[in-house]
Amino acid sequence: MASKELIAKLREKYIQNPPEGMTANEIREMDDEDLLDMDYFMHEDDEFFDEVDW
């Protein structure tokens, strides 16, 4: 399971700049696993995603 600190950072990131078609309120109400899944799928094709230092 991911750390609560990582989840909090991701949630704040997406609240400040929600993905197209979503609102900050939807991000705020997402459960932790859905937020992590969304982030994963948004970055799965990024060349350096695996090298990010969280």
Side-chain angles (χ1 to χ4, degrees), residues 3-49:
S3 74
K4 293 293 181 180
E5 185 177 305
L6 170 60
I7 293 168
K9 286 180 182 182
L10 286 174
R11 191 174 307 278
E12 187 61 31
K13 171 185 170 182
Y14 290 118
I15 287 172
Q16 295 298 317
N17 188 17
E20 187 175 333
M22 297 191 80
T23 66
N25 195 45
E26 289 174 319
I27 302 297
R28 211 174 272 114
E29 294 177 359
M30 288 178 99
D31 68 23
D32 294 350
E33 293 301 316
D34 288 340
L35 182 68
L36 291 170
D37 287 346
M38 179 187 76
D39 183 65
Y40 173 81
F41 287 112
M42 290 184 72
H43 296 284
E44 70 179 332
D45 293 332
D46 290 358
E47 185 175 337
F48 300 106
F49 183 67

